[in-house]
Amino acid sequence: MGFKTVILWTDVVLWLMLLGLVQYVRVVRRDEALRATWQRVFVTPAGMASAVVLTAMLLVTLADSFHFRRALPIVNGGAQAYDTRTESVLDQGLAKLIASRENSYSSPLATHGFTKETVPPKAGAKPELDENGLPALPKREFPRLKHGGAGLTDTDKGWAADVAQRVLAGTAGGAGIALVLFVALRSRMGDDNPLAWRAAWLTASCLGFLLAWGVALSWGDGYHVLGTDRTGNDVLYITIKSIRTAFVIGSLATIATIPLALAFGIAAGYFKGWIDDVIQYLYTVLSSVPNILLIAACVLMMQVFIDKHPELFETGLERADLKIFLLCVILGLTGWAGLCRMLRAETLKLRELEYVQAATAFGASPWRIMRRHILPNVMHLVLITTVIEFSSLILYEAVLSYVGIGVDPSMNSFGGMINQARVEMSRDPVVWWSFASAFVFMVGIVLSANLFADAVRDAFDPRARVARPVKRLAAAS
């Protein structure tokens, strides 16, 4: 069966960013000073461990960024048609979770539904009578799940043993992954290697155990590890699919702020005068408008355009993808003021240094000075700010989706899961697992991004490199 490749806006940008990252790695490998600076990032265990987690999340994002539509069988010699559903490579790996859809809520590792349902009488069976000889009321029971623990004949007696057996199998698989990683990294974990490869091995091994447990518990006639949502979809599948949305928002929106911040910040700091006044006026006015209201107005105008032009989209995913792409652009266009102010202040300092004054005296044009002397010396601020803003924008997406102006409801996201949990947490009994899954995964990504941002700031910020030894000397004395 053939397929048709579907190219989404965010897919193109993500793969271009990956190519840019590969090119930057090549530049770092050639530049000894830059390579030494990046090595300081991975010397700390926190920096190395967070890099491993972010790399794993990036691999999930890339696997979910190659989309296609399956070809349908040709009927009566007609033209080739394709399925309306758009799938990704990640969906192929999670096909078991997609196919194991239930009727409604079920708790993690459950074999029965979460709420009681009316059990209809069997066809041809005599109606049951109550003690008064009248037709008895229909029974209400917890329904048996179609996929959760489907291989168990007696759920009361066999559930605990089956779960324990699967956990042991997952533990063995995780131990095998840890052993393979240890053999692969053993030569790098010596005392003579300054990089924190031991922290990388421990973090990757923990991820390997989680992966092995998840596969063992859900494989075959397994269970819903994180339960199901209101429509019966596996929460683990929804949570994994939400990783791509978080990465798209965090990376694309951050990258979108850089061009305006660089152009306006360097121009304001170098030229000063009326150019500086105009740019300061622009970002002051932008900062004075409540950010959430400005974003909401832009998102609503974007939504009106999308709704009025349905002919532009072949599938619902293409429509939802354009919305998240434009949301990233809006976040970038409304969030450049802070970085611009920082770059302006740094450029004001750099333009007074001797090598810039010498270039001006030799007749170098302002554009050449800004490109050759100013821009390279402010890139560490851009890098630090980009990494720090990544986690902030992931949280921002959750807030926007919670108030209804974030990503499309048809696209999985942590904000959408939290928005849905607003109703679920008010139920009695409480449906807690959707909220808990979104919370744990989002905290894991944001915490990793923050720890990595701290390591990057300590390595690239000259003030951090100077302050740390002074602090140690003071403590020793």
Side-chain angles (χ1 to χ4, degrees):
M1 181 180 292
F3 63 90
K4 176 183 178 181
T5 302
V6 178
I7 302 177
L8 303 178
W9 287 87
T10 53
D11 292 344
V12 174
V13 178
L14 283 172
W15 287 106
L16 288 176
M17 289 174 54
L18 179 63
L19 292 176
L21 180 62
V22 172
Q23 182 62 30
Y24 181 70
V25 171
R26 295 179 61 185
V27 172
V28 171
R29 291 173 63 91
R30 296 196 202 103
D31 192 326
E32 184 177 354
L34 194 57
R35 186 171 65 252
T37 304
W38 272 108
Q39 285 180 348
R40 283 193 288 269
V41 175
F42 300 105
V43 165
T44 60
M48 179 65 86
S50 59
V52 171
V53 175
L54 293 177
T55 301
M57 299 300 105
L58 178 60
L59 293 177
V60 173
T61 302
L62 295 178
D64 201 19
S65 298
F66 183 82
H67 293 92
F68 59 91
R69 295 165 58 191
R70 294 181 181 272
L72 298 176
I74 299 177
V75 181
N76 298 328
Q80 179 66 67
Y82 296 91
D83 195 349
T84 56
R85 296 174 302 170
T86 303
E87 303 176 62
S88 68
V89 174
L90 181 65
D91 291 334
Q92 301 305 301
L94 302 177
K96 166 64 172 59
L97 301 182
I98 298 174
S100 61
R101 183 173 180 178
E102 306 291 350
N103 292 329
S104 186
Y105 292 113
S106 66
S107 57
L109 301 179
T111 58
H112 290 74
F114 188 67
T115 56
K116 290 185 177 181
E117 296 180 0
T118 301
V119 180
K122 297 181 180 180
K126 295 181 179 180
E128 297 182 5
L129 303 178
D130 60 10
E131 57 185 7
N132 298 322
L134 299 175
L137 296 175
K139 293 183 178 180
R140 292 182 59 83
E141 299 177 353
F142 293 103
R144 182 72 167 87
L145 298 179
K146 294 183 294 183
H147 302 281
L152 298 178
T153 56
D154 189 348
T155 57
D156 293 334
K157 296 180 179 179
W159 177 83
D162 187 53
V163 170
Q165 183 179 359
R166 290 175 179 271
V167 169
L168 289 176
T171 303
I177 294 175
L179 180 61
V180 171
L181 292 174
F182 178 79
V183 173
L185 299 176
R186 181 176 56 181
S187 60
R188 298 172 180 247
M189 289 192 293
D191 296 335
D192 56 337
N193 196 323
L195 302 184
W197 285 108
R198 190 177 301 276
W201 172 69
L202 291 174
T203 306
S205 299
C206 291
L207 294 178
F209 273 101
L210 293 177
L211 176 63
W213 285 329
V215 172
L217 288 170
S218 60
W219 190 261
D221 296 329
Y223 307 88
H224 300 284
V225 180
L226 299 180
T228 57
D229 65 358
R230 179 175 53 188
T231 57
N233 293 312
D234 193 276
V235 173
L236 178 60
Y237 169 75
I238 298 174
T239 308
I240 295 175
K241 292 284 286 186
S242 300
I243 294 175
R244 180 183 184 274
T245 304
F247 258 77
V248 166
I249 292 288
S251 57
L252 268 65
T254 304
I255 297 299
T257 63
I258 293 178
L260 286 175
L262 273 177
F264 289 158
I266 294 178
Y270 184 81
F271 291 111
K272 296 198 292 188
W274 67 270
I275 296 179
D276 186 20
D277 295 337
V278 170
I279 294 175
Q280 284 193 73
Y281 179 78
L282 282 176
Y283 67 63
T284 301
V285 171
L286 184 63
S287 301
S288 64
V289 180
N291 209 21
I292 190 69
L293 296 180
L294 183 61
I295 294 174
C298 296
V299 169
L300 292 176
M301 290 189 293
M302 170 193 69
Q303 187 64 49
V304 170
F305 171 80
I306 293 176
D307 292 340
K308 287 186 175 181
H309 298 83
E311 70 280 359
L312 299 177
F313 316 103
E314 293 186 9
T315 61
L317 181 61
E318 295 180 15
R319 179 181 180 273
D321 183 77
L322 179 61
K323 182 175 180 181
I324 191 176
F325 176 78
L326 294 177
L327 176 62
C328 294
V329 174
I330 292 170
L331 290 174
L333 294 178
T334 57
W336 56 271
L339 180 58
C340 179
R341 186 181 292 110
M342 188 183 306
L343 293 176
R344 172 186 173 272
E346 187 70 12
T347 305
L348 285 173
K349 180 184 70 174
L350 293 174
R351 74 184 302 274
E352 303 299 331
L353 297 181
E354 291 81 359
Y355 63 90
V356 177
Q357 296 294 330
T360 304
F362 279 108
S365 64
W367 305 111
R368 180 178 177 84
I369 293 175
M370 287 188 290
R371 181 172 60 87
R372 297 291 299 273
H373 301 292
I374 303 295
L375 180 60
N377 288 285
V378 299
M379 287 307 295
H380 69 284
L381 294 177
V382 176
L383 179 62
I384 294 171
T385 305
T386 299
V387 179
I388 292 175
E389 288 297 319
F390 176 83
S391 57
S392 301
L393 287 167
I394 292 177
L395 297 175
Y396 214 84
E397 179 273 326
V399 174
L400 293 176
S401 297
Y402 182 78
V403 300
I405 58 174
V407 301
D408 194 87
S410 63
M411 181 169 285
N412 298 309
S413 68
F414 294 127
M417 295 178 66
I418 295 174
N419 186 28
Q420 181 180 345
R422 175 174 51 181
V423 179
E424 296 172 346
M425 296 294 287
S426 63
R427 290 171 53 101
D428 187 20
V430 175
V431 178
W432 52 268
W433 46 88
S434 293
F435 176 79
S437 303
F439 177 79
V440 171
F441 272 74
M442 188 167 63
V443 167
I445 296 175
V446 171
L447 179 62
S448 300
N450 286 338
L451 291 176
F452 188 71
D454 291 340
V456 171
R457 181 185 57 197
D458 293 341
F460 281 85
D461 192 350
R463 291 171 296 181
R465 294 202 300 267
V466 172
R468 179 165 294 184
V470 173
K471 188 174 181 179
R472 287 177 178 175
L473 289 175
S477 61

